[in-house]
Amino acid sequence: MKNCPKCGQARVGEVFKCPTCDVFYSQLDELLFEEQQKLERNTVKGQLKLILAADDKSQAFKAYLQSIWRETPLKTKITLWTVLAFVFVLVFGV
């Protein structure tokens, strides 16, 4: 759509919502906007934006690290612990 369905303002560029009344131009635009938000939340850049926008940044960062650890597969965790133990033995075993 080229005009807002509510106020009739002309669409400028590739924006999904009308800047004056905050209504989506079409249902497809609404779906695309939601998909874009979902993809952004799943990236490091999107998570960094959420952490910086939070009131308690340290708590938000801690929650992000906990979610990463929860989503990490068990085999990956075992591999990381093995590598860390090996490096520890090499560094402090001398």
Side-chain angles (χ1 to χ4, degrees), residues 29-73:
D29 287 334
E30 186 174 358
L31 293 173
L32 290 173
F33 180 77
E34 289 173 4
E35 184 66 25
Q36 181 183 16
Q37 294 297 321
K38 181 181 168 187
L39 289 174
E40 187 172 323
R41 277 193 308 267
N42 292 336
T43 62
V44 174
K45 184 178 179 182
Q47 289 295 326
L48 183 61
K49 285 182 184 178
L50 290 175
I51 291 170
L52 293 176
D55 293 333
D56 189 4
K57 291 175 181 44
S58 63
Q59 183 67 25
F61 183 66
K62 184 179 177 182
Y64 174 62
L65 290 178
Q66 287 174 345
S67 71
I68 288 176
W69 188 251
R70 250 185 280 119
E71 294 170 3
T72 304

